[in-house]
Amino acid sequence: MNEKDDEKIRLDKWLWAARFYKTRALAKEAIEGGKVHCRGERCKPSKEPRIGDELTIRGGFDERTVVIRALSAVRRGAPEAQRLYEETAESQARREEATALRKAGALGLETSGRPNKKQRRQLFQFREER
């Protein structure tokens, strides 16, 4: 995290260095797919993040809101990567609440298995009406 790292860096590279994604390609894919928002707006992988920017990162069941604290183009160990950002308190609370609901089974749909013939007909009819 020297001065050279702070000059110019791409968002996909920063997300990779901060260990949100395993590869830069995955980070780029997530940004292009609308999973990463900077200051509430969609952005491009080539965007240059700045210290103090707020990123919203969706992945799987989780949505994190983080504030950039430092810039780095080098992927290092997890403890050092966690110093690059700070997750907001409300983001942590939302994630913990969602995790608790998932563990309680409140979010998932429970079905009795595969639809029977009548239910399949109803599904097809519903899809055709739309």
Side-chain angles (χ1 to χ4, degrees), residues 88-107:
T88 61
E90 59 247 6
S91 171
Q92 288 177 338
R94 269 187 283 137
R95 281 191 317 111
E96 288 170 4
E97 184 180 323
T99 302
L101 285 173
R102 273 198 312 276
K103 284 183 180 176
L107 285 180

Side-chain angles (χ1 to χ4, degrees), residues 11 14-15 20 35-43 47-58 63-71 84-91 94:
L11 182 59
W14 184 86
L15 288 168
F20 285 106
K35 306 273 193 258
V36 179
H37 291 249
C38 184
R39 292 185 228 118
E41 298 178 355
R42 279 184 77 159
C43 50
K47 177 168 179 44
E48 293 179 10
R50 294 185 179 97
I51 294 175
D53 280 358
E54 188 172 286
L55 298 177
T56 304
I57 304 164
R58 282 187 293 128
E63 182 175 303
R64 295 173 181 240
T65 304
V66 298
V67 178
I68 297 175
R69 293 292 170 215
L71 299 175
L84 297 177
Y85 63 91
E86 180 183 329
E87 188 172 4
T88 61
E90 59 247 6
S91 171
R94 269 187 283 137

